[in-house]
Amino acid sequence: MATSYKDLGLVNTKALFAKAVRGGYAIPAFNFNNMEQMQAIIQACAEVQSPVILQVSSGARKYANQTLLRYLAQGAVEYAKELGKGRNVPIALHLDHGDTLELCKSCIEYGFSSVMIDGSHHAYEKNVELTRQVVEYAHKYEVTVEGELGVLAGVEDDVKAEHHTYTQPDEVQDFVKKTGVDSLAISIGTSHGAFKFKPGQKAEIRLDILAEIEKRIPGFPIVLHGASSVPPDLVVLINKYGGVLKDTAGIGEDQLRAAAKSAVCKINIDSDGRLAMTAAIRKCFVEQPGEFDPRKYLGPARDALKELYKHKCTNVLGSSGHAFD
Ligand code: G3H
Ligand code: 13P
Ligand code: ZN
């Protein structure tokens, strides 16, 4: 039987984005696949009073089981109420990189309040048509839809692109008008994963293209994927405790802060969380090799993740303190 996100206590992204655009901050979209990640996200956001988007990829659905994730998200709302003593931070449940209408429909039936239809690898007209179909279905249930124009370099939806195909500012107005999407993910030099820039490469994103896009669709909610910063201290920690990560760099936090102050109102972060958990777990394994209770290493990993997310909300996205705007 279909479940409405409203019955789960979730919200769609409409009001969240409108407030974020007005307030010059971005809503964090943190990916989760298990209970500890969910706990870290909710603990962090409840503590700093930030609205939050719980983000589920197709890979997460396969890993954790879609029914369990749905109940974890429902549990997240109840947990936030408990932590907020009844005054809970707003939580949206969002499908990350949906690739078909069927997948989006299935998520909406499972209680998602927001879906992404990523048609960015298709030709423009096909992207428009697919996105329009998802919007038509989703809006019947007041579920919000994120579309994408432009292709990020790196691996995106199992498709590997060598170079960025930047979003063309000339296309955005037409795309938004024809599809009716609620937000638009763009390609301005961010990329998925922990290896975004090679050593010596200038680690910068094209804030000039963002400004051009903003001129064409003023006030329209823009989304940045691939926005992990790959903190060097986490890479050092992982390698100190036996990891073999090569030299790498992510998106500068100052650049993300600048983007969040403009039309960017949703910033996706997954890889930095993976690094924080891995560093904490590796440290435990090396420092306490006799330990075999999973709570003894998943607990510190969860705590590290929570600190990372608090930092992101407060110092990078600027969403702290905006839960009840
Ligand atoms: O955009 C990709 C997200 O980081 C999710 O990654 O597909 O490995 O779950 P995943
Ligand atoms: P990162 O790999 O940079 O964390 O990006 C995550 C993302 O865009 C999820 O959709
Ligand atoms: Zn993404």
Side-chain angles (χ1 to χ4, degrees):
M1 208 182 74
T3 311
S4 165
Y5 68 86
K6 294 173 195 164
D7 298 332
L8 307 183
L10 297 159
V11 299
N12 72 19
T13 57
K14 193 108 194 141
L16 298 187
F17 287 169
K19 289 175 193 167
V21 170
R22 273 203 306 276
Y25 61 92
I27 313 281
F30 297 133
N31 289 71
F32 84 110
N33 303 262
N34 64 27
M35 184 189 73
E36 282 77 9
Q37 290 170 321
M38 182 277 277
Q39 288 174 312
I41 295 169
I42 300 303
Q43 286 173 9
C45 292
E47 207 164 301
V48 301
Q49 303 217 323
S50 169
V52 68
I53 298 171
L54 283 174
Q55 197 154 257
V56 172
S57 69
S58 298
R61 274 172 52 113
K62 281 190 207 112
Y63 173 78
N65 176 284
Q66 56 187 22
T67 308
L68 287 179
L69 282 180
R70 205 293 295 284
Y71 281 102
L72 271 180
Q74 191 174 351
V77 174
E78 298 308 317
Y79 188 39
K81 277 184 199 161
E82 203 175 297
L83 295 176
K85 300 188 174 53
R87 202 162 179 247
N88 51 315
V89 297
I91 303 172
L93 179 62
H94 175 78
L95 168 67
D96 194 21
H97 294 286
D99 56 351
T100 62
L101 174 61
E102 291 66 38
L103 175 59
C104 292
K105 279 184 176 173
S106 159
C107 286
I108 291 168
E109 280 166 16
Y110 262 84
F112 281 57
S113 61
S114 173
V115 292
M116 175 187 194
I117 178 68
D118 182 358
S120 60
H121 300 291
H122 296 302
Y124 181 76
E125 288 307 332
K126 185 160 179 211
N127 187 2
V128 167
E129 184 49 20
L130 179 61
T131 307
R132 195 195 59 74
Q133 287 173 354
V134 171
V135 169
E136 193 175 80
Y137 182 84
H139 281 184
K140 281 194 263 188
Y141 302 94
E142 291 177 57
V143 167
T144 37
V145 180
E146 174 183 327
E148 179 166 342
L149 265 182
V151 182
L152 275 62
V155 182
E156 198 178 30
D157 313 330
D158 299 328
V159 180
K160 198 172 176 349
E162 202 60 45
H163 302 287
H164 303 282
T165 306
Y166 295 125
T167 305
Q168 293 177 37
D170 282 343
E171 285 183 347
V172 295
Q173 204 176 16
D174 184 68
F175 186 82
V176 164
K177 192 163 154 245
K178 284 187 176 151
T179 59
V181 276
D182 302 284
S183 59
L184 182 67
I186 59 167
S187 169
I188 55 168
T190 62
S191 58
H192 289 109
F195 304 100
K196 301 182 196 298
F197 297 102
K198 296 184 184 72
Q201 224 181 349
K202 210 169 172 205
E204 277 183 7
I205 54 171
R206 295 287 303 270
L207 292 172
D208 57 321
I209 300 180
L210 173 63
E212 275 306 312
I213 291 170
E214 199 179 349
K215 264 191 225 157
R216 315 296 165 97
I217 43 173
F220 191 80
I222 299 295
V223 178
L224 281 189
H225 283 247
S228 277
S229 296
V230 194
D233 55 323
L234 291 180
V235 176
V236 167
L237 262 187
I238 288 175
N239 288 342
K240 177 178 170 191
Y241 292 109
V244 284
L245 295 185
K246 56 184 193 235
D247 255 3
T248 175
I251 313 299
E253 292 190 337
D254 52 333
Q255 303 214 336
L256 294 170
R257 189 71 206 93
K261 280 184 179 158
S262 72
V264 170
C265 66
K266 171 175 180 268
I267 290 187
N268 288 7
I269 295 170
D270 187 5
S271 297
D272 283 354
R274 296 179 182 195
L275 293 169
M277 287 192 93
T278 301
I281 290 172
R282 280 195 172 278
K283 184 169 186 282
C284 289
F285 282 171
V286 171
E287 290 182 349
Q288 301 158 62
E291 197 53 74
F292 59 92
D293 178 345
R295 292 171 297 188
K296 295 284 164 48
Y297 50 88
L298 292 179
R302 183 177 60 195
D303 294 345
L305 198 51
K306 175 184 170 185
E307 288 312 309
L308 174 87
Y309 289 150
K310 279 169 55 182
H311 163 70
K312 296 285 179 186
C313 292
T314 303
N315 304 318
V316 186
L317 282 72
S319 61
S320 291
H322 288 291
F324 309 109
D325 280 3

